[in-house]
Amino acid sequence: ALPAPSPAADAAAASWTPPLSTRGRWIVDARGERFRLRSGNWDGAQGSWTGSGDAADPANHHAGQPSYGIPLGLDRTPLPALLADFRALGLNSIRLPFSNEMLRTTTPVPDAAVAANPALRGRTPLQVYDAVVAALTADGFAVILNNHTVTTRWCCGLDGNERWNSSGRSTAQWADDWVAMARRYRANPRVVGADLYNEVRRDVWDDPNWGLGDNHDWHAAAQEAADRILTEANPDLLIVVEGINWTGLPVDGFPHGRPTLTPVRGLSHTLVVSGKLVYSAHFYGYTGPNHSGATGLGETHDPRYQDLTREQLQQVLYDQAFFVSAETGAHFTAPVWISEFGIGADERGTAPRAWFGNLTDRLTATDADFAYWPLVGWSGGAGGGGDTWALLRYDAAGHRSGVLDAGDWRTPTWTGLTGAAGRTGTVPATPAWYQLATDHRDHNASLRTRAAGDWDVGARKAVCPDGSRLAGLSHTGGRGLCTTSDLRSATGAHTVVTDESHVPPGGDWATGYTKFACPQDRFLIGWSVRGERVSAALCAPARTALPAGGGRTVWFDRGDNRPSGAAGLGGDFAYGHYKGQCLPGEYAAGIAFTTRWGSRPSPAALLCRPVPAP
């Protein structure tokens, strides 16, 4: 049995109502009130062994701290004391790493690993993890599960944990594990998020990529796992997708760098449950936009983040991550969680200290969500070991040191960050935009359409999320744009259009082109292609009468044709390709294309009609 939450914990729990969702760049609770992730990383369950030497020797574990595959500190401090310290830090949420190996470990942890919490003796690592989750959430904290590693080994180099499907695991097996974890905690509403994988990066031979459609495509893998979690396990979870941490060989003269979230501008995620996507990124002073963080072997002459001026750092942070939340009204707009950053209490260098201040100033100025790494560690002394980066450090007797105590230079910076004013209260819902892509596979973001089965067997299909309508298409590149809409009827099946039977007499809106038009009472929510050729249009029934005939033709086979001043209207949803888009007050009612020799049979025009007044 775990101790009952304190009155302070009860008050903290009452201050927010799960589940969490997103509105534009903000995370909100079930009441629509802003919930800023002020988080810490409570590590240990992902593993601490460095990968060489005897795993039983503490010297072969990160910072001399063998974690036994469970959250650190349970050997030194009772859970209630740990949680009270977390609360004193100003935290409201915990990023809780785990490894896939932990899920299958059947050997109980040694009694010494939970010496300060004897109620946890005899439990497996996963059972200890369960108890920690239960204690955190009972105390009012939001918990974000984080798949940190595949094997229970310290991250993050060439360690067999480079990708979600490293060490012999397939993407399907990885997604299976996520479904199991999401189901495991579904009954606990304060388990609010699934952080899909930590610091995806290059292994010895290959890079991860964002959108190539192969076995190393992180964009596609994250989409697959996210949709499975939301449809098979728990539709209430936030889905956290981290950018790519490293590609290329860290050798001067060779391409290499840290893409982070830069690919999101051209290719974002659209999930089957809207309002659940959060992007994340990590920043440490000793790494850099093109610096791996290595010293000696593998080190290049690129600047580290701590080598940049305040202004340079601000620009790099924007380019690599912060643009996702700063540029509102784009298909990629989402909250950005800086889910790892940190520095040592023993750091004496002027540049690293300045970097820490500059980064936290940027987190404050942008009102960003954040999570410090790490939250808990050992202190040195007679017990040996110790992680000076931890915000809270405990010696073998359970005595605490760190930012809550005198003498830690980080304390003013930390308290400034956690105590800074930010947006609070209700966040109003605003129009959202979603990108669809048919590059390599189906992109069916509609639960209603999925339930009805495959509507064009053998074709690549794209369908807008429920509660939205198709707003734009690209001529090439297989991209589409959707926008939120309440136009759909609560009843009625969709219509698949594969010919011109719904083009009214005298209503030729694209002379000489094949036209797939929706029936008069319906509007476009999707399309399909075979190769490049348009295969079908998908139309949904409207909840109100739609205009009979009329409308305007938006051509885009020879250039862009989007609303003037298109900023805030979805952004460029198909970089490098011609595209067309209806006006905000219009709905798409048809797609035109040609099969003439020498012409591309891809979408060439949209029929746009005015949305009826409410």
Side-chain angles (χ1 to χ4, degrees):
L2 296 170
S6 65
D10 290 337
S15 69
W16 65 284
T17 305
L20 300 183
S21 298
T22 67
R23 291 183 179 177
R25 63 138 294 178
W26 309 102
I27 296 172
V28 298
D29 74 357
R31 298 171 297 188
E33 298 197 358
R34 197 276 172 98
F35 185 90
R36 186 186 188 188
L37 293 177
R38 300 191 307 273
S39 319
N41 284 273
W42 191 1
D43 80 302
Q46 84 285 359
S48 57
W49 181 53
T50 57
S52 62
D54 183 1
D57 185 349
N60 297 323
H61 290 255
H62 172 71
Q65 302 174 148
S67 71
Y68 302 100
I70 62 174
L72 281 163
L74 298 175
D75 60 330
R76 299 180 169 219
T77 309
L79 259 171
L82 284 165
L83 303 189
D85 289 347
F86 297 173
R87 188 70 64 197
L89 285 171
L91 304 181
N92 61 11
S93 46
I94 301 296
R95 183 176 184 246
L96 198 61
F98 69 89
S99 74
N100 299 88
E101 183 180 349
M102 181 200 79
L103 308 183
R104 294 166 177 79
T105 301
T106 58
T107 303
V109 300
D111 287 353
V114 290
N117 293 274
L120 301 180
R121 289 176 180 169
R123 303 195 191 189
T124 67
L126 180 55
Q127 290 168 340
V128 173
Y129 192 91
D130 288 340
V132 167
V133 169
L136 285 167
T137 54
D139 223 56
F141 290 97
V143 171
I144 297 93
L145 311 174
N146 164 232
N147 186 195
H148 207 81
T149 52
V150 176
T151 64
T152 307
R153 178 180 166 184
W154 182 255
C155 176
C156 293
L158 296 175
D159 53 18
N161 294 307
E162 294 83 3
R163 292 189 302 276
W164 63 98
N165 56 0
S166 294
S167 298
R169 298 192 63 74
S170 68
T171 297
Q173 290 172 319
W174 169 70
D176 286 344
D177 281 352
W178 258 122
V179 169
M181 284 292 278
R183 286 176 176 166
R184 188 176 189 90
Y185 302 110
R186 179 170 181 165
N188 187 338
R190 294 190 187 277
V191 175
V192 299
D195 185 348
L196 296 182
Y197 202 71
N198 183 74
E199 295 191 8
V200 172
R201 58 199 181 278
R202 181 186 175 88
D203 62 14
V204 174
W205 303 110
D206 296 294
D207 287 328
N209 67 80
W210 192 279
L212 294 185
D214 60 14
N215 193 43
H216 295 173
D217 185 344
W218 172 228
H219 175 273
Q223 180 84 42
E224 177 181 335
D227 285 350
R228 287 195 58 194
I229 290 167
L230 294 171
T231 56
E232 299 176 31
N234 188 349
D236 289 335
L237 289 180
L238 293 175
I239 301 296
V240 182
V241 180
E242 188 179 334
I244 294 177
N245 193 63
W246 187 264
T247 60
L249 296 172
V251 178
D252 287 331
F254 284 75
H256 59 271
R258 197 178 303 280
T260 321
L261 292 174
T262 52
V264 174
R265 187 179 291 279
L267 183 60
S268 59
H269 290 85
T270 296
L271 308 181
V272 293
V273 179
S274 298
K276 293 297 180 181
L277 175 65
V278 175
Y279 283 114
S280 73
H282 295 174
F283 292 103
Y284 290 104
Y286 67 90
T287 65
N290 292 289
H291 200 299
S292 69
T295 299
L297 183 65
E299 184 174 7
T300 62
H301 288 83
D302 304 292
R304 304 172 190 262
Y305 291 113
Q306 65 195 30
D307 297 328
L308 304 178
T309 66
R310 185 180 177 90
E311 292 72 23
Q312 289 171 333
L313 178 64
Q314 179 175 331
Q315 187 62 53
V316 166
L317 293 173
Y318 184 92
D319 293 343
Q320 291 196 303
F322 285 60
F323 76 91
V324 174
S325 57
E327 297 179 22
T328 57
H331 64 84
F332 53 76
T333 302
V336 171
W337 187 31
I338 306 305
S339 55
E340 283 190 28
F341 71 100
I343 196 169
D346 58 348
E347 179 60 66
R348 297 291 179 264
T350 301
R353 285 194 174 201
W355 165 83
F356 187 62
N358 290 336
L359 175 66
T360 53
D361 285 350
R362 184 72 347 214
L363 295 173
T364 297
T366 58
D367 202 2
D369 301 273
F370 60 87
Y372 185 93
W373 181 284
L375 179 53
V376 176
W378 293 3
S379 62
D387 189 345
T388 62
W389 283 47
L391 287 177
L392 302 167
R393 298 186 307 258
Y394 301 91
D395 67 15
H399 300 131
R400 186 194 68 206
S401 58
V403 298
L404 293 178
D405 304 286
D408 194 310
W409 72 268
R410 302 168 299 173
T411 300
T413 304
W414 176 256
T415 55
L417 173 63
T418 57
R423 178 166 185 166
T424 59
T426 301
V427 177
T430 56
W433 302 87
Y434 311 102
Q435 184 188 52
L436 298 177
T438 60
D439 306 53
H440 309 292
R441 56 184 62 83
D442 287 357
H443 192 174
N444 186 352
S446 165
L447 290 172
R448 295 179 66 174
T449 305
R450 286 183 176 210
D454 193 336
W455 54 273
D456 192 0
V457 177
R460 298 194 310 280
K461 298 164 286 294
V463 188
C464 294
D466 295 328
S468 63
R469 65 178 187 268
L470 193 67
L473 285 175
S474 64
H475 180 51
T476 54
R479 297 289 191 270
L481 182 70
C482 308
T483 186
T484 47
S485 171
D486 63 353
L487 193 55
R488 184 164 185 170
S489 170
T491 60
H494 57 248
T495 300
V496 180
V497 178
T498 58
D499 56 32
E500 294 192 335
S501 59
H502 299 293
V503 178
D508 190 346
W509 50 273
T511 304
Y513 282 67
T514 302
K515 295 164 285 293
F516 290 170
C518 292
Q520 189 270 322
D521 64 341
R522 296 176 180 242
F523 62 97
L524 271 174
I525 59 169
W527 82 104
S528 60
V529 293
R530 296 175 188 271
E532 279 193 297
R533 186 188 186 279
V534 176
S535 177
L538 188 69
C539 306
R543 58 170 175 75
T544 187
L546 298 178
R552 67 187 186 99
T553 305
V554 175
W555 292 97
F556 50 88
D557 55 344
R558 294 177 179 83
D560 271 13
N561 192 352
R562 294 184 290 152
S564 59
L569 297 177
D572 192 336
F573 61 93
Y575 277 96
H577 299 273
Y578 296 150
K579 62 197 78 72
Q581 182 177 338
C582 297
L583 295 170
E586 296 176 326
Y587 68 92
I591 304 170
F593 64 98
T594 181
T595 55
R596 291 194 304 263
W597 184 86
S599 298
R600 291 182 179 275
S602 50
L606 284 172
L607 173 62
C608 300
R609 289 176 173 161
V611 175

